[in-house]
């Protein structure tokens, strides 16, 4: 009789602890959810980004550029697994270099190199404090990284981000 | 009956854990309350953002809120001024400085919430800003790698 009463009491104590821990787990989950929801939800919208690829061999670009990047191609992450946006246009612009001629400094187009400016349309999400994101990637003008522009893998600087207007 | 009420090692451990948790929470809230009681004011911090593309600079606007990479609010943009970044050239032993058409050196004035303590500006009351310090902040559209130039000892009104 005494043995069974003790066992029942021990079981009760064990149950108390289990209930206590479950309650604690629920409390932590609720707190986590509250803090997460307090950060706000993400809104989704379109932006137009301009990427700059500097110092591309002009001759190579003129010969093979059409094969490397085409309008309508996807912009992908460096490893190619995530599509970040769609290429709207590709423009070759002069790669400027500083020179001094007859004692006068000036800028001139580099004879062998060109820069590429690539305009990309992206769908991004935004949350206060967390900036713009395309997938996990932070999208911010002034940032840089490696991307796949169509079939062309290159380091590029993101020089402009504008909200797309209708 | 008596043995069932006696606490064993596991009970003591759990009790200790609970006491530590409670004391941790109390210390945390006590610290936060003390910090919020302090007089934090907005101070003007002037920073330099170098060699930024003209179009990148246009992505930053007066009134923008700047955040750290971790999402913590850093400050508010009060003013933006820019001048062409200069390239240094040496030709025939002469040094020339050529202003860039595409790149700008930007000076940004920020309102940062903090307090002055022993000649230091403590952002948020704890994070000391130092002249020459390099940091990276984010606005809604732009990324700013900047260097702290100076701060003004008078609060912003």
């Amino acid at each position: 009789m005494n043995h069974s009463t003790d066992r029942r009491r021990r079981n009760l104590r064990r149950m108390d602890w289990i209930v206590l821990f479950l309650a604690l787990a629920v409390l932590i989950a609720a707190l986590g959810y509250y803090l997460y929801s307090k950060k706000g939800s993400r809104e989704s919208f379109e932006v137009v980004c301009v990427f700059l690829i500097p110092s591309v061999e002009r001759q190579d670009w003129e010969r093979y550029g059409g094969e490397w990047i085409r309008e309508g191609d996807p912009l992908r992450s460096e490893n190619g697994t995530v599509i970040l946006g769609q290429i709207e246009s590709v423009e070759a612009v002069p790669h400027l270099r500083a020179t001094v001629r007859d004692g006068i400094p000036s800028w001139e187009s580099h004879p062998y190199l060109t820069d590429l400016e690539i305009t990309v349309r992206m769908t991004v999400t935004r949350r206060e404090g967390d900036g713009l994101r395309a997938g996990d990637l932070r999208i911010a003008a002034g940032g840089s990284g490696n991307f796949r522009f169509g079939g062309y893998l290159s380091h590029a600087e993101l020089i402009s981000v504008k909200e797309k207007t209708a | 009956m008596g043995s069932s009420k006696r606490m064993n090692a596991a009970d003591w451990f759990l009790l200790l854990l609970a006491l530590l948790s409670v004391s941790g929470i109390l210390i945390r809230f006590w610290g936060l309350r003390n910090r919020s009681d302090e007089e934090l004011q907005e101070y003007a911090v002037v920073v330099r953002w170098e060699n930024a593309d003209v179009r990148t600079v246009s992505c930053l606007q007066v009134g923008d809120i700047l955040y750290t990479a971790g999402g913590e609010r850093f400050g508010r943009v009060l003013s933006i001024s820019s001048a062409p970044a200069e390239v240094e050239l040496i030709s025939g032993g002469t040094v020339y400085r050529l202003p860039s058409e595409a790149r700008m050196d930007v000076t940004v004035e920020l309102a940062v919430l903090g307090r002055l303590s022993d000649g230091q500006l403590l952002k948020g009351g704890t994070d000391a800003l130092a002249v020459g310090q390099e940091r990276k902040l984010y606005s809604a559209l732009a990324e700013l790698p900047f260097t702290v130039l100076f701060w003004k000892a008078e609060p912003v009104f």
Side-chain angles (χ1 to χ4, degrees):
Chain A
M1 183 72 178
N2 272 348
H3 279 293
S4 67
T5 311
D6 280 350
R7 204 181 304 127
R8 219 175 296 135
R9 280 187 180 143
R10 271 200 299 274
N11 285 341
L12 195 66
R13 269 170 60 105
R14 205 171 293 140
M15 279 303 290
D16 286 346
W17 281 114
I18 290 167
V19 168
L20 185 71
F21 277 117
L22 280 176
L24 207 62
V26 169
L27 197 70
I28 289 167
L31 188 69
Y33 178 76
Y34 167 74
L35 290 174
Y36 178 79
S37 59
K38 207 178 148 196
K39 284 186 89 177
S41 57
R42 307 196 72 97
E43 55 167 327
S44 179
F45 60 101
E46 274 205 328
V47 290
V48 176
C49 300
V50 180
F51 288 86
L52 176 74
I53 302 177
S55 308
V56 176
E57 286 280 347
R58 184 198 296 273
Q59 211 172 38
D60 285 349
W61 173 249
E62 284 167 357
R63 275 188 197 160
Y64 312 116
E67 301 298 320
W68 292 346
I69 313 172
R70 296 182 202 91
E71 288 172 12
D73 277 353
L75 168 71
R76 294 175 188 270
S77 56
E78 183 178 9
N79 59 16
T81 53
V82 182
I83 293 179
L84 301 167
Q86 192 178 27
I87 295 168
E88 284 201 328
S89 67
V90 185
E91 191 184 353
V93 296
H95 178 84
L96 298 178
R97 67 173 179 182
T99 56
V100 179
R101 289 192 195 283
D102 304 324
I104 300 167
S106 64
W107 294 97
E108 66 173 25
S109 291
H110 196 286
Y112 309 120
L113 299 176
T114 190
D115 292 346
L116 300 179
E117 285 188 7
I118 302 170
T119 305
V120 179
R121 196 176 68 242
M122 277 185 190
T123 299
V124 295
T125 59
R126 172 167 55 197
R127 189 166 64 195
E128 194 188 343
D130 196 34
L132 306 181
R133 300 266 172 181
D136 288 337
L137 190 74
R138 185 188 273 270
I139 301 298
S144 63
N146 293 327
F147 301 94
R148 285 177 191 266
F149 298 90
Y152 186 56
L153 172 65
S154 177
H155 189 83
E157 183 185 356
L158 178 52
I159 54 174
S160 171
V161 179
K162 302 273 185 211
E163 278 192 46
K164 191 175 168 65
T165 48
Chain B
M1 184 84 178
S3 64
S4 69
K5 281 191 175 175
R6 204 176 299 140
M7 290 174 73
N8 57 27
D11 292 337
W12 281 112
F13 175 72
L14 285 169
L15 186 67
L16 184 69
L17 209 63
L19 283 174
L20 284 174
S21 303
V22 170
S23 57
I25 290 165
L26 287 176
I27 289 166
R28 175 69 180 153
F29 278 102
W30 183 259
L32 284 176
R33 210 186 70 176
N34 276 357
R35 199 183 299 169
S36 64
D37 284 344
E38 287 169 358
E39 283 291 309
L40 295 184
Q41 290 178 299
E42 279 193 323
Y43 289 91
V45 177
V46 179
V47 302
R48 168 71 56 81
W49 176 22
E50 289 184 329
N51 208 33
D53 191 280
V54 174
R55 285 163 288 182
T56 306
V57 177
S58 72
C59 292
L60 185 70
Q61 305 289 328
V62 170
D64 278 0
I65 306 295
L66 299 182
Y67 296 90
T68 64
E72 187 193 349
R73 184 186 161 127
F74 189 90
R76 174 171 52 94
V77 177
L78 292 176
S79 69
I80 305 166
S81 61
S82 57
E86 289 188 334
V87 177
E88 198 172 270
L89 293 164
I90 302 171
S91 175
T94 309
V95 179
Y96 299 91
R97 296 186 75 82
L98 182 62
S100 171
E101 292 168 4
R103 297 275 162 175
M104 309 294 280
D105 286 339
V106 187
T107 305
V108 184
E109 190 175 16
L110 304 172
V112 175
L113 196 64
R115 68 181 171 93
L116 287 176
S117 172
D118 297 330
Q120 286 194 109
L121 175 60
L122 304 176
K123 185 187 83 65
T126 53
D127 180 12
L129 293 179
V131 170
Q133 193 175 30
E134 292 178 355
R135 295 198 178 200
K136 192 184 277 185
L137 295 179
Y138 295 88
S139 74
L141 298 176
E143 174 182 313
L144 285 83
F146 70 81
T147 309
V148 177
L149 288 182
F150 64 94
W151 61 80
K152 296 174 183 172
E154 289 299 312
V156 176
F157 289 106

